[in-house]
Amino acid sequence: MKPNKLNIDIEMNVEDWWVECFKNSECDRQLQKKLRWTTLGYHHNWDTKVYTEQNKSLFPLDLAELSDILAKYLGYSNFKAEAAIVNYYHMNSTLSAHTDHSEVNLEAPLFSFSFGQSAIFLIGGQDKSLEPSAILIKSGDIVVMSKKARLCYHAVPKILPSAESPWEETEISNVSSNSISSFKYISQPEEFVGTMNENIDNEKWNRFRNYIQESRINMNVRQVLNENQNSI
Ligand SMILES: O=C(O)CCC(=O)C(=O)O
Ligand SMILES: [Fe+2]
């Protein structure tokens, strides 16, 4: 079984979406644009909004590691990444106003990592009476929704072309496993670093560059369970 769930799984059987997009020598732009979301860990159920033990995969270790580093840095020492929605936006995509309240634990913060093109992010109050504030989210920005903001209405009404391309910065291009001191979730840092370095080789990177030049990727990471809870 594939660990992650994609919106396109509902209408077609694709083993690996990215590989499938480049199956022929040309990039299949139509298929590429079809991907709108992926769910990781406890899979968000779009209809019932209820997480279950039956609809759950291993949370990706690299995103767990990143979330853990951020959580520790911000002082949330008990945060555990257990579910994520990855949103893929094209230049004309929007996300309508909603609150995220499916998690059992609504006290834990929600971490939102953004890459690629910029977005106007609107955040209002816990009901729709409060006029929202607008924030420009750029590539590399992290939005932390904690305390009251955790349950506030928010939306993405507009994707804007990014003025800069931080994903092109070459000085971060060569990661060495020596620079990694200790990992909590990733047990084989050499392998992890090897994959990262492989992915920045020219042909692979070019494909990603073409995609991200016209897309925004947002990884929305949540803790689902309460601190002493082991399952739903
Ligand atoms: O794309 C974003 O910045 C927000 C996504 C979001 O609100 C969500 O996935 O619940
Ligand atoms: Fe949200």
Side-chain angles (χ1 to χ4, degrees), residues 42-98:
Y42 278 108
H43 297 291
H44 187 257
N45 185 319
W46 301 90
D47 301 320
T48 63
K49 315 260 184 227
V50 176
Y51 295 108
T52 61
E53 290 300 320
Q54 291 70 42
N55 194 12
K56 173 189 173 183
S57 317
L58 176 72
F59 193 89
L61 301 178
D62 43 9
L63 187 53
E65 198 71 61
L66 177 65
S67 304
D68 189 64
I69 292 166
L70 176 67
K72 293 248 159 62
Y73 183 77
L74 297 175
Y76 297 107
S77 50
N78 296 322
F79 180 85
K80 198 154 178 266
E82 291 168 326
I85 298 175
V86 185
N87 300 287
Y88 306 87
Y89 297 86
H90 313 303
M91 297 316 287
N92 56 1
S93 306
T94 57
L95 181 69
S96 53
H98 66 279

Side-chain angles (χ1 to χ4, degrees), residues 98 100 154 220 222:
H98 66 279
D100 296 295
H154 54 283
N220 222 270
R222 300 114 195 261

Side-chain angles (χ1 to χ4, degrees), residues 46 85-87 89 95 98-100 110 112-114 119 121 137 143 145 154-156 216-220 222:
W46 301 90
I85 298 175
V86 185
N87 300 287
Y89 297 86
L95 181 69
H98 66 279
T99 58
D100 296 295
L110 181 157
S112 171
F113 303 89
S114 294
F121 182 77
I137 301 184
V143 172
M145 291 173 77
H154 54 283
V156 178
R216 170 173 184 261
I217 301 176
N218 171 263
M219 306 191 297
N220 222 270
R222 300 114 195 261

